[in-house]
Amino acid sequence: MDQQHVHIHADVRLDCKGLACPMPIVRTRKAIADMDGGQVLEVLATDKGSLADLKAWSSRAGHQYLGTLTVDEVYRHYIRKQSTAEAAHPGGSPIPVVSNAELQARRLADPEMVIIDVREEAEFAFGHVRGAISIPLGQLEDRLGELDRERELMLLCRTGTRSEMACRLLVDKGFKRVHNVVPGMSEWDGDTDALTEGQGGLKA
């Protein structure tokens, strides 16, 4: 795949081209501190060491390293800032839960099953369940018209937290047949597709 023509949405772009370690990390730390939780940062770097450094730093800092594209010898790193809202468990009635294994079994019986991935566009680009539809959580309420209220809907994210929030939103809007897929992409071992073949974990 031609990575030069792959477009991945990022909320903030940080230019670290020409800088050597540790400056890309120093600037990334400062930039991400000013961002809102859940936003995606794109870091442009030319230092090869940034591949390992930014991935390791993201893990230590509690953020989500999505992956890296290489275009014209420039590394385009994508990091999602952890959202404090995701740590809070929403109240309300229990949402039906479907395991990863159960989802795979149901897909065999119903290949047309509707699977909605509520992660950010950048997360989806680096790897998603084959056939899933991308509707980021922040866009879900505005895109309800795209969903069939009569169909069974399987919602997933990285760990099941955002998808539970999405399920609750749909229930509040009158959807009856919604299920939260847990643990989601963090442990998904079934078929996946990606919009890019860049470096990084497809299950991020």
Side-chain angles (χ1 to χ4, degrees), residues 3-20:
Q3 296 186 10
Q4 187 169 2
H5 295 94
V6 174
H7 174 73
I8 295 178
H9 172 76
D11 300 286
V12 178
R13 172 178 285 190
L14 178 64
D15 191 344
C16 293
K17 297 191 296 292
L19 300 179

Side-chain angles (χ1 to χ4, degrees), residues 3-199:
Q3 296 186 10
Q4 187 169 2
H5 295 94
V6 174
H7 174 73
I8 295 178
H9 172 76
D11 300 286
V12 178
R13 172 178 285 190
L14 178 64
D15 191 344
C16 293
K17 297 191 296 292
L19 300 179
C21 181
M23 290 310 298
I25 290 179
V26 171
R27 293 198 175 184
T28 297
R29 182 187 298 117
K30 182 177 180 180
I32 212 165
D34 295 329
M35 294 170 57
D36 294 331
Q39 288 189 317
V40 174
L41 173 67
E42 179 185 44
V43 182
L44 307 180
T46 49
D47 180 13
K48 290 184 178 181
S50 66
L51 285 165
D53 292 346
L54 284 173
K55 184 175 183 179
W57 175 81
S58 298
S59 178
R60 293 195 305 270
H63 304 304
Q64 185 184 354
Y65 174 82
L66 304 180
T68 300
L69 299 179
T70 305
V71 179
D72 295 332
E73 299 184 351
V74 174
Y75 301 105
R76 294 162 52 188
H77 305 280
Y78 295 88
I79 302 169
R80 177 179 175 274
K81 182 174 181 177
Q82 180 69 295
S83 172
T84 54
E86 293 172 31
H89 191 280
S93 302
I95 296 294
V97 172
V98 171
S99 69
N100 286 9
E102 186 176 356
L103 176 61
Q104 293 189 57
R106 290 195 183 192
R107 289 184 71 202
L108 291 177
D110 180 11
E112 301 302 316
M113 174 177 292
V114 180
I115 303 172
I116 303 171
D117 190 323
V118 300
R119 297 176 301 156
E120 296 301 316
E121 293 174 357
E123 297 175 84
F124 186 84
F126 280 99
H128 52 268
V129 173
R130 183 164 296 166
I133 302 168
S134 174
I135 305 182
L137 178 59
Q139 300 177 18
L140 183 58
E141 189 166 8
D142 292 332
R143 297 175 62 180
L144 295 179
E146 300 177 24
L147 305 178
D148 186 346
R149 294 175 181 268
E150 303 303 318
R151 294 289 300 274
E152 192 171 41
L153 306 178
M154 302 291 173
L155 283 79
L156 85 165
C157 63
R158 185 169 66 97
T159 61
T161 302
R162 280 175 282 172
S163 50
E164 180 175 356
M165 296 166 67
C167 285
R168 293 189 181 281
L169 187 155
L170 292 182
V171 169
D172 288 344
K173 297 299 182 179
F175 288 78
K176 305 296 185 183
R177 306 178 65 193
V178 297
H179 301 268
N180 185 25
V181 181
V182 177
M185 290 303 294
S186 62
E187 297 184 25
W188 181 258
D189 60 1
D191 293 339
T192 58
D193 283 329
L195 303 182
T196 170
E197 296 176 356
Q199 300 181 54

